[in-house]
Short mmCIF file of all heavy atoms in Angstrom, two decimals:
data_model
loop_
_atom_site.label_atom_id
_atom_site.label_comp_id
_atom_site.label_asym_id
_atom_site.label_seq_id
_atom_site.Cartn_x
_atom_site.Cartn_y
_atom_site.Cartn_z
N LEU N 8 -13.11 9.20 -11.06
CA LEU N 8 -12.80 9.64 -12.44
C LEU N 8 -12.66 11.22 -12.45
O LEU N 8 -11.74 11.70 -13.09
CB LEU N 8 -13.98 9.20 -13.38
CG LEU N 8 -13.80 9.68 -14.87
CD1 LEU N 8 -12.56 9.22 -15.43
CD2 LEU N 8 -15.04 9.13 -15.65
N SER N 9 -13.46 11.86 -11.68
CA SER N 9 -13.39 13.33 -11.62
C SER N 9 -12.04 13.78 -11.06
O SER N 9 -11.42 14.75 -11.55
CB SER N 9 -14.58 13.98 -10.86
OG SER N 9 -14.40 13.82 -9.54
N LYS N 10 -11.54 13.02 -10.14
CA LYS N 10 -10.26 13.38 -9.51
C LYS N 10 -9.10 13.24 -10.49
O LYS N 10 -8.21 14.03 -10.62
CB LYS N 10 -9.96 12.52 -8.24
CG LYS N 10 -10.74 12.98 -7.06
CD LYS N 10 -10.38 12.15 -5.77
CE LYS N 10 -11.19 12.75 -4.58
NZ LYS N 10 -11.04 11.90 -3.36
N GLN N 11 -9.14 12.13 -11.29
CA GLN N 11 -8.15 11.93 -12.36
C GLN N 11 -8.20 13.10 -13.38
O GLN N 11 -7.22 13.63 -13.82
CB GLN N 11 -8.44 10.67 -13.17
CG GLN N 11 -8.18 9.37 -12.43
CD GLN N 11 -8.50 8.17 -13.25
OE1 GLN N 11 -8.47 8.21 -14.49
NE2 GLN N 11 -8.84 7.10 -12.61
N MET N 12 -9.48 13.43 -13.70
CA MET N 12 -9.66 14.58 -14.75
C MET N 12 -9.16 15.91 -14.12
O MET N 12 -8.52 16.68 -14.81
CB MET N 12 -11.10 14.68 -15.13
CG MET N 12 -11.59 13.59 -15.99
SD MET N 12 -13.30 13.80 -16.45
CE MET N 12 -13.35 15.30 -17.34
N ASP N 13 -9.36 16.08 -12.86
CA ASP N 13 -8.94 17.32 -12.20
C ASP N 13 -7.42 17.52 -12.35
O ASP N 13 -6.90 18.52 -12.65
CB ASP N 13 -9.25 17.28 -10.69
CG ASP N 13 -10.72 17.49 -10.42
OD1 ASP N 13 -11.45 17.93 -11.30
OD2 ASP N 13 -11.16 17.19 -9.27
N ALA N 14 -6.71 16.41 -12.18
CA ALA N 14 -5.25 16.41 -12.25
C ALA N 14 -4.75 16.87 -13.63
O ALA N 14 -3.91 17.65 -13.85
CB ALA N 14 -4.67 15.04 -11.89
N SER N 15 -5.46 16.39 -14.65
CA SER N 15 -5.14 16.70 -16.03
C SER N 15 -5.51 18.17 -16.30
O SER N 15 -4.82 18.84 -16.97
CB SER N 15 -5.88 15.75 -16.95
OG SER N 15 -5.90 16.24 -18.22
N ILE N 16 -6.60 18.64 -15.69
CA ILE N 16 -7.11 20.03 -15.95
C ILE N 16 -6.06 20.99 -15.28
O ILE N 16 -5.71 22.02 -15.94
CB ILE N 16 -8.42 20.24 -15.33
CG1 ILE N 16 -9.42 19.48 -16.17
CG2 ILE N 16 -8.80 21.72 -15.30
CD1 ILE N 16 -10.89 19.37 -15.57
N ILE N 17 -5.56 20.66 -14.12
CA ILE N 17 -4.55 21.48 -13.43
C ILE N 17 -3.33 21.68 -14.31
O ILE N 17 -2.90 22.83 -14.44
CB ILE N 17 -4.14 20.87 -12.07
CG1 ILE N 17 -5.30 20.97 -11.09
CG2 ILE N 17 -2.88 21.44 -11.56
CD1 ILE N 17 -5.09 20.11 -9.79
N GLU N 18 -2.87 20.61 -14.91
CA GLU N 18 -1.75 20.69 -15.80
C GLU N 18 -2.01 21.64 -16.97
O GLU N 18 -1.16 22.51 -17.33
CB GLU N 18 -1.38 19.37 -16.38
CG GLU N 18 -0.55 18.46 -15.50
CD GLU N 18 -0.05 17.21 -16.26
OE1 GLU N 18 0.12 17.32 -17.52
OE2 GLU N 18 0.15 16.14 -15.63
N LYS N 19 -3.17 21.50 -17.56
CA LYS N 19 -3.49 22.25 -18.71
C LYS N 19 -3.69 23.75 -18.38
O LYS N 19 -3.29 24.66 -19.08
CB LYS N 19 -4.69 21.77 -19.40
CG LYS N 19 -4.49 20.33 -20.07
CD LYS N 19 -5.65 19.91 -20.91
CE LYS N 19 -5.35 18.51 -21.48
NZ LYS N 19 -6.41 17.99 -22.25
N VAL N 20 -4.23 23.98 -17.18
CA VAL N 20 -4.40 25.36 -16.74
C VAL N 20 -3.02 25.99 -16.54
O VAL N 20 -2.85 27.19 -16.89
CB VAL N 20 -5.19 25.39 -15.38
CG1 VAL N 20 -5.17 26.77 -14.72
CG2 VAL N 20 -6.68 25.03 -15.67
N ASN N 21 -2.09 25.28 -15.96
CA ASN N 21 -0.81 25.78 -15.74
C ASN N 21 -0.12 26.14 -17.12
O ASN N 21 0.56 27.12 -17.23
CB ASN N 21 0.06 24.82 -14.93
CG ASN N 21 -0.37 24.78 -13.50
OD1 ASN N 21 -0.98 25.73 -13.01
ND2 ASN N 21 -0.05 23.67 -12.84
N THR N 22 -0.34 25.25 -18.07
CA THR N 22 0.25 25.45 -19.48
C THR N 22 -0.34 26.82 -19.99
O THR N 22 0.37 27.66 -20.50
CB THR N 22 -0.13 24.29 -20.32
OG1 THR N 22 0.43 23.16 -19.83
CG2 THR N 22 0.46 24.56 -21.75
N LEU N 23 -1.64 26.97 -19.93
CA LEU N 23 -2.31 28.14 -20.38
C LEU N 23 -1.77 29.38 -19.67
O LEU N 23 -1.48 30.42 -20.35
CB LEU N 23 -3.86 28.14 -20.12
CG LEU N 23 -4.79 27.84 -21.22
CD1 LEU N 23 -6.18 28.19 -20.78
CD2 LEU N 23 -4.43 28.53 -22.45
N LYS N 24 -1.56 29.33 -18.37
CA LYS N 24 -1.13 30.53 -17.64
C LYS N 24 0.34 30.83 -18.10
O LYS N 24 0.68 32.03 -18.19
CB LYS N 24 -1.12 30.21 -16.16
CG LYS N 24 -2.55 30.31 -15.59
CD LYS N 24 -2.55 29.89 -14.11
CE LYS N 24 -3.94 30.12 -13.53
NZ LYS N 24 -4.06 29.76 -12.09
#
Side-chain angles (χ1 to χ4, degrees):
Chain N
L8 178 55
S9 74
K10 283 184 177 174
Q11 289 178 26
M12 287 178 64
D13 289 344
S15 164
I16 291 167
I17 288 168
E18 278 190 30
K19 293 186 180 180
V20 167
N21 288 336
T22 301
L23 254 195
K24 286 177 173 175

